[in-house]
Each structure stands twice: as C-alpha cells, then as structure tokens.
Amino acid sequence: MVSHSELRKLFSSADAVCFDVDSTVIREEGIDELAKFCGVEAAVSEMTRRAMGGAVPFKAALTERLALIQPSREQVQRLLAEHPPHLTPGIRELVSRLQERNVQVFLISGGFRSIVEHVAAKLNIPASNVFANRLKFYFNGEYAGFDETQPTAESGGKGKVIKFLKEKFHFKKIVMIGDGATDLEACPPADAFIGFGGNVIRQQVKDNAKWYITDFVELLGELEE
C-alpha cells in the first residue's frame, strides 16, 4: 500500500504524467457534446453514464453511441468551431509547470482524436503525445465507423498505452490523472493514480483513489514545494 505522502512524492518526481481529457482536462464529455450537436443528446448521455461507471464494456458503449450519433466530418469541424471545449481551470498552469520541469505530458482519451488534438494544441502538447480514438469517414464526409485497432477503443486501453510508453521511453514513474473507471484501472501499469472530481464526481473513483482532488491548484502546490 502506497501512503498518501509517498504518492505526493511520486507525483512531484514523476518523469511522465498522463491526463484523461473528458471531464478532466476539459469540462465537458466530448461524445456528449457531439451528441447534443447532432440532436441525440438524451440517449447518448445515459449510455455515457453507464460506460463511465464501468457497467458496460467500453468498446460496446462507444460503438452503440456512435451508431446513434453518426457524426459527419463537417459536424465534427463545426462543433470545434462553434462550441470549442472549455479547459478546466488550473490545467494550463499545471501542464506548463510540468513541462518546465521536463516532465513529459500525455493525453490519453477514450474520446476522439480530432477533438483531443484541438485541446492538446491549446496546452502546447505535441500531437505525438495524444492517444485517442479515430473517427472514420467516407470520401463524402459521412460517418464510416471508428478505428477499432486503437488501444483506447477497448476497456483497459489506457493501461495498454501506459505500458507502451514505459517500454518505448523507459519512464521510471508514470502518473495517471482522471475522473473515470477507465483511468482508475490504468494503475498499474501506471505507478500512481490521482482521481479528479473537479467537473464530475464518480463515486467508484472517489472511493478507490488513494489521492482524490477536486482542484488542480492542489497539484500545482506540490510542484512549488
């Protein structure tokens, strides 16, 4: 059992920090925003709630929700232009402080790469540090499914990404930060998990995270000490 003070030390000495995106780095759930934009909000948000609580396998929930939304390439582009995601307060400062300390910052999301790359650009995180699901479109821009080979399309996918990062870059200490069941289950292989409840509190995560925060200021404080 890692104590809270050991966890804090681990965070301040980590060589890589991985963030979930929806309801963590940004205030919204990207897939729910896309559903709202495409006029199928109620049905999809109920499915998201079940998926985030861990009641439905992630890929099954993603397939079901996308089949309902059927987003076209143009709709995704218009969503980003007209309703860009809102960054969670404190995240910009936290990411830039980590980068000043030469900590590698990654975004690992069950959401969509086109939305997550937009968020990454706002935070000066290179696109090569983004792991997310890819939507597929036919040549006319209509929805054609999603890339099922991406690790983030599966339950347990975030852990697979972290394992890959450890093998590729030989990171000694990786911390995962997120609000959902898929983030919690990524530790191990992550060396530590920090639960985030600043946008939405998921009871399962709150109950099982050894360190649970509701404001990124708390993590900024750890880096100042």
Side-chain angles (χ1 to χ4, degrees):
M1 282 287 283
V2 182
S3 72
H4 190 258
S5 65
E6 284 172 315
L7 258 180
R8 287 166 57 178
K9 275 199 199 94
L10 209 154
F11 171 69
S12 55
S13 62
D15 43 8
V17 175
C18 302
F19 289 92
D20 168 53
V21 177
D22 295 322
S23 299
T24 301
V25 167
I26 61 172
R27 306 195 78 150
E28 306 88 350
E29 283 289 324
I31 195 161
D32 289 353
E33 293 303 302
L34 192 55
K36 191 188 295 181
F37 196 73
C38 298
V40 287
E41 179 187 10
V44 170
S45 57
E46 171 56 23
M47 284 184 198
T48 298
R49 194 183 61 72
R50 283 167 43 221
M52 290 306 291
V56 185
F58 186 81
K59 188 185 254 182
L62 185 63
T63 307
E64 256 183 90
R65 289 179 292 177
L66 282 170
L68 268 177
I69 304 170
Q70 298 269 329
S72 67
R73 182 184 279 126
E74 190 217 357
Q75 282 172 317
V76 174
Q77 288 164 348
R78 274 180 46 219
L79 171 70
L80 284 172
E82 295 170 26
H83 303 281
H86 297 90
L87 292 177
T88 300
I91 188 65
R92 199 188 289 273
E93 295 77 6
L94 179 57
V95 168
S96 102
R97 187 81 190 92
L98 288 165
Q99 289 169 333
E100 280 165 20
R101 293 165 68 105
N102 293 317
V103 177
Q104 285 287 324
V105 178
F106 295 89
L107 298 181
I108 307 180
S109 174
F112 307 121
R113 193 172 179 97
S114 42
I115 296 174
V116 177
E117 281 188 348
H118 176 87
V119 173
K122 287 185 175 183
L123 295 169
N124 296 317
I125 295 170
S128 56
N129 285 21
V130 168
F131 293 85
N133 289 315
R134 292 177 186 274
L135 291 172
K136 296 200 293 199
F137 303 101
Y138 292 111
F139 67 92
N140 64 357
E142 283 179 13
Y143 175 66
F146 63 95
D147 179 355
E148 297 192 24
T149 66
Q150 294 294 320
T152 47
E154 299 269 4
S155 295
K158 292 183 182 182
K160 286 183 192 152
V161 171
I162 289 172
K163 186 169 178 285
F164 163 77
L165 292 175
K166 280 190 155 180
E167 287 166 2
K168 184 176 179 184
F169 298 109
H170 308 293
F171 292 128
K172 291 181 177 61
K173 296 176 192 168
I174 295 191
V175 176
M176 179 75 207
I177 299 172
D179 69 294
T182 59
D183 308 308
L184 177 67
E185 71 183 14
C187 178
D191 299 282
F193 170 70
I194 301 170
F196 182 72
N199 293 310
V200 59
I201 290 177
R202 304 194 197 277
Q203 203 58 44
Q204 180 197 0
V205 177
K206 189 177 182 183
D207 293 346
N208 290 288
K210 296 188 186 76
W211 188 2
Y212 194 80
I213 62 166
T214 54
D215 196 321
F216 286 128
V217 167
E218 192 175 329
L219 296 184
L220 265 171
E222 292 297 326
L223 300 178
E224 302 307 327
E225 286 164 20

